[in-house]
mmCIF file of all heavy atoms in Angstrom:
data_model
loop_
_atom_site.group_PDB
_atom_site.id
_atom_site.type_symbol
_atom_site.label_atom_id
_atom_site.label_comp_id
_atom_site.label_asym_id
_atom_site.label_seq_id
_atom_site.Cartn_x
_atom_site.Cartn_y
_atom_site.Cartn_z
ATOM 1 N N PHE A 257 -16.155 -17.778 -1.257
ATOM 2 C CA PHE A 257 -16.065 -18.330 -2.577
ATOM 3 C C PHE A 257 -14.803 -19.062 -2.796
ATOM 4 O O PHE A 257 -13.704 -18.649 -2.333
ATOM 5 C CB PHE A 257 -16.119 -17.164 -3.649
ATOM 6 C CG PHE A 257 -16.113 -17.654 -5.027
ATOM 7 C CD1 PHE A 257 -17.221 -17.922 -5.765
ATOM 8 C CD2 PHE A 257 -14.875 -17.916 -5.648
ATOM 9 C CE1 PHE A 257 -17.242 -18.360 -7.124
ATOM 10 C CE2 PHE A 257 -14.842 -18.361 -7.021
ATOM 11 C CZ PHE A 257 -15.996 -18.548 -7.718
ATOM 12 N N ARG A 258 -14.819 -20.173 -3.477
ATOM 13 C CA ARG A 258 -13.577 -20.803 -3.929
ATOM 14 C C ARG A 258 -13.815 -21.593 -5.213
ATOM 15 O O ARG A 258 -14.924 -22.120 -5.440
ATOM 16 C CB ARG A 258 -12.966 -21.741 -2.848
ATOM 17 C CG ARG A 258 -13.811 -22.884 -2.423
ATOM 18 C CD ARG A 258 -13.263 -23.630 -1.255
ATOM 19 N NE ARG A 258 -14.182 -24.394 -0.487
ATOM 20 C CZ ARG A 258 -14.532 -25.665 -0.767
ATOM 21 N NH1 ARG A 258 -14.035 -26.237 -1.829
ATOM 22 N NH2 ARG A 258 -15.472 -26.279 -0.045
ATOM 23 N N GLN A 259 -12.776 -21.710 -6.010
ATOM 24 C CA GLN A 259 -12.968 -22.479 -7.296
ATOM 25 C C GLN A 259 -11.525 -23.072 -7.629
ATOM 26 O O GLN A 259 -10.485 -22.406 -7.429
ATOM 27 C CB GLN A 259 -13.423 -21.539 -8.405
ATOM 28 C CG GLN A 259 -13.785 -22.239 -9.691
ATOM 29 C CD GLN A 259 -14.352 -21.356 -10.764
ATOM 30 O OE1 GLN A 259 -14.339 -20.126 -10.638
ATOM 31 N NE2 GLN A 259 -14.895 -21.961 -11.822
ATOM 32 N N TRP A 260 -11.609 -24.273 -8.221
ATOM 33 C CA TRP A 260 -10.325 -24.892 -8.654
ATOM 34 C C TRP A 260 -10.665 -25.759 -9.850
ATOM 35 O O TRP A 260 -11.451 -26.697 -9.766
ATOM 36 C CB TRP A 260 -9.809 -25.791 -7.467
ATOM 37 C CG TRP A 260 -8.341 -26.177 -7.578
ATOM 38 C CD1 TRP A 260 -7.461 -25.791 -8.546
ATOM 39 C CD2 TRP A 260 -7.672 -27.081 -6.647
ATOM 40 N NE1 TRP A 260 -6.252 -26.372 -8.247
ATOM 41 C CE2 TRP A 260 -6.343 -27.120 -7.143
ATOM 42 C CE3 TRP A 260 -7.992 -27.760 -5.537
ATOM 43 C CZ2 TRP A 260 -5.397 -27.941 -6.498
ATOM 44 C CZ3 TRP A 260 -7.053 -28.517 -4.879
ATOM 45 C CH2 TRP A 260 -5.744 -28.593 -5.337
ATOM 46 N N VAL A 261 -10.086 -25.393 -10.974
ATOM 47 C CA VAL A 261 -10.268 -26.159 -12.209
ATOM 48 C C VAL A 261 -8.982 -26.769 -12.564
ATOM 49 O O VAL A 261 -7.978 -26.025 -12.719
ATOM 50 C CB VAL A 261 -10.880 -25.300 -13.283
ATOM 51 C CG1 VAL A 261 -11.285 -26.115 -14.553
ATOM 52 C CG2 VAL A 261 -12.035 -24.365 -12.893
ATOM 53 N N ILE A 262 -8.906 -28.065 -12.760
ATOM 54 C CA ILE A 262 -7.635 -28.767 -12.854
ATOM 55 C C ILE A 262 -7.671 -29.633 -14.064
ATOM 56 O O ILE A 262 -8.680 -30.369 -14.356
ATOM 57 C CB ILE A 262 -7.319 -29.661 -11.669
ATOM 58 C CG1 ILE A 262 -7.695 -28.810 -10.347
ATOM 59 C CG2 ILE A 262 -5.882 -30.144 -11.631
ATOM 60 C CD1 ILE A 262 -7.683 -29.756 -9.087
ATOM 61 N N GLU A 263 -6.533 -29.677 -14.852
ATOM 62 C CA GLU A 263 -6.445 -30.681 -15.911
ATOM 63 C C GLU A 263 -6.137 -32.056 -15.262
ATOM 64 O O GLU A 263 -5.211 -32.173 -14.443
ATOM 65 C CB GLU A 263 -5.200 -30.299 -16.755
ATOM 66 C CG GLU A 263 -5.532 -29.837 -18.174
ATOM 67 C CD GLU A 263 -4.313 -29.244 -18.800
ATOM 68 O OE1 GLU A 263 -3.165 -29.746 -18.577
ATOM 69 O OE2 GLU A 263 -4.526 -28.206 -19.546
ATOM 70 N N ASP A 264 -6.901 -33.049 -15.694
ATOM 71 C CA ASP A 264 -6.751 -34.354 -15.016
ATOM 72 C C ASP A 264 -5.567 -35.107 -15.573
ATOM 73 O O ASP A 264 -5.764 -36.083 -16.348
ATOM 74 C CB ASP A 264 -8.074 -35.142 -15.054
ATOM 75 C CG ASP A 264 -8.170 -36.158 -13.913
ATOM 76 O OD1 ASP A 264 -7.210 -36.235 -13.161
ATOM 77 O OD2 ASP A 264 -9.216 -36.824 -13.829
ATOM 78 N N LYS A 265 -4.422 -34.712 -15.247
ATOM 79 C CA LYS A 265 -3.119 -35.322 -15.781
ATOM 80 C C LYS A 265 -2.182 -35.731 -14.723
ATOM 81 O O LYS A 265 -1.134 -35.175 -14.560
ATOM 82 C CB LYS A 265 -2.405 -34.288 -16.675
ATOM 83 C CG LYS A 265 -2.935 -34.248 -18.122
ATOM 84 C CD LYS A 265 -2.063 -33.519 -19.091
ATOM 85 C CE LYS A 265 -1.044 -32.512 -18.591
ATOM 86 N NZ LYS A 265 -0.614 -31.530 -19.534
ATOM 87 N N PHE A 266 -2.644 -36.661 -13.812
ATOM 88 C CA PHE A 266 -1.840 -36.955 -12.678
ATOM 89 C C PHE A 266 -1.239 -38.328 -12.914
ATOM 90 O O PHE A 266 -1.885 -39.317 -13.150
ATOM 91 C CB PHE A 266 -2.742 -36.961 -11.422
ATOM 92 C CG PHE A 266 -3.166 -35.630 -11.005
ATOM 93 C CD1 PHE A 266 -4.234 -34.935 -11.658
ATOM 94 C CD2 PHE A 266 -2.529 -34.930 -9.969
ATOM 95 C CE1 PHE A 266 -4.544 -33.687 -11.332
ATOM 96 C CE2 PHE A 266 -2.867 -33.630 -9.615
ATOM 97 C CZ PHE A 266 -3.832 -33.017 -10.267
ATOM 98 N N VAL A 267 0.082 -38.346 -12.746
ATOM 99 C CA VAL A 267 0.837 -39.553 -13.152
ATOM 100 C C VAL A 267 0.907 -40.580 -12.047
ATOM 101 O O VAL A 267 1.198 -41.757 -12.286
ATOM 102 C CB VAL A 267 2.242 -39.147 -13.733
ATOM 103 C CG1 VAL A 267 3.074 -38.675 -12.566
ATOM 104 C CG2 VAL A 267 2.895 -40.200 -14.491
ATOM 105 N N ASN A 268 0.680 -40.199 -10.835
ATOM 106 C CA ASN A 268 0.892 -41.044 -9.696
ATOM 107 C C ASN A 268 -0.164 -40.936 -8.645
ATOM 108 O O ASN A 268 0.058 -40.994 -7.428
ATOM 109 C CB ASN A 268 2.272 -40.557 -9.104
ATOM 110 C CG ASN A 268 2.923 -41.702 -8.219
ATOM 111 O OD1 ASN A 268 2.331 -42.697 -7.982
ATOM 112 N ND2 ASN A 268 4.155 -41.374 -7.752
ATOM 113 N N GLY A 269 -1.443 -40.690 -9.149
ATOM 114 C CA GLY A 269 -2.587 -40.608 -8.234
ATOM 115 C C GLY A 269 -2.790 -39.188 -7.716
ATOM 116 O O GLY A 269 -1.955 -38.319 -7.914
ATOM 117 N N ARG A 270 -3.971 -39.014 -7.068
ATOM 118 C CA ARG A 270 -4.282 -37.676 -6.586
ATOM 119 C C ARG A 270 -5.423 -37.867 -5.585
ATOM 120 O O ARG A 270 -6.175 -38.796 -5.676
ATOM 121 C CB ARG A 270 -4.709 -36.705 -7.629
ATOM 122 C CG ARG A 270 -5.903 -37.246 -8.491
ATOM 123 C CD ARG A 270 -6.584 -36.051 -9.282
ATOM 124 N NE ARG A 270 -7.606 -36.564 -10.205
ATOM 125 C CZ ARG A 270 -8.831 -36.895 -9.884
ATOM 126 N NH1 ARG A 270 -9.234 -36.829 -8.632
ATOM 127 N NH2 ARG A 270 -9.649 -37.273 -10.829
ATOM 128 N N PRO A 271 -5.653 -36.858 -4.701
ATOM 129 C CA PRO A 271 -6.827 -36.898 -3.804
ATOM 130 C C PRO A 271 -8.119 -36.677 -4.694
ATOM 131 O O PRO A 271 -8.041 -36.084 -5.742
ATOM 132 C CB PRO A 271 -6.624 -35.734 -2.874
ATOM 133 C CG PRO A 271 -5.205 -35.289 -2.980
ATOM 134 C CD PRO A 271 -4.786 -35.740 -4.387
ATOM 135 N N ASP A 272 -9.226 -37.120 -4.159
ATOM 136 C CA ASP A 272 -10.479 -36.857 -4.879
ATOM 137 C C ASP A 272 -10.973 -35.455 -4.551
ATOM 138 O O ASP A 272 -12.013 -35.233 -3.978
ATOM 139 C CB ASP A 272 -11.535 -37.874 -4.408
ATOM 140 C CG ASP A 272 -11.151 -39.317 -4.843
ATOM 141 O OD1 ASP A 272 -10.579 -39.424 -5.956
ATOM 142 O OD2 ASP A 272 -11.459 -40.261 -4.074
ATOM 143 N N TRP A 273 -10.209 -34.515 -5.078
ATOM 144 C CA TRP A 273 -10.503 -33.094 -4.793
ATOM 145 C C TRP A 273 -11.900 -32.691 -5.378
ATOM 146 O O TRP A 273 -12.548 -31.739 -4.899
ATOM 147 C CB TRP A 273 -9.515 -32.136 -5.365
ATOM 148 C CG TRP A 273 -8.219 -32.073 -4.561
ATOM 149 C CD1 TRP A 273 -8.112 -31.968 -3.228
ATOM 150 C CD2 TRP A 273 -6.880 -32.086 -5.048
ATOM 151 N NE1 TRP A 273 -6.824 -31.913 -2.871
ATOM 152 C CE2 TRP A 273 -5.969 -32.021 -3.910
ATOM 153 C CE3 TRP A 273 -6.337 -32.262 -6.347
ATOM 154 C CZ2 TRP A 273 -4.602 -31.999 -4.066
ATOM 155 C CZ3 TRP A 273 -4.956 -32.233 -6.492
ATOM 156 C CH2 TRP A 273 -4.077 -32.130 -5.326
ATOM 157 N N ASP A 274 -12.448 -33.448 -6.333
ATOM 158 C CA ASP A 274 -13.800 -33.177 -6.814
ATOM 159 C C ASP A 274 -14.805 -33.324 -5.682
ATOM 160 O O ASP A 274 -15.823 -32.617 -5.727
ATOM 161 C CB ASP A 274 -14.093 -34.053 -8.020
ATOM 162 C CG ASP A 274 -13.656 -35.504 -7.902
ATOM 163 O OD1 ASP A 274 -12.732 -35.766 -7.121
ATOM 164 O OD2 ASP A 274 -14.238 -36.325 -8.552
#
Side-chain angles (χ1 to χ4, degrees):
F257 182 94
R258 61 184 160 87
Q259 191 176 9
W260 197 4
V261 189
I262 315 170
E263 247 168 36
D264 204 356
K265 274 196 337 201
F266 289 78
V267 72
N268 200 355
R270 59 161 170 83
D272 293 327
W273 282 314
D274 40 337

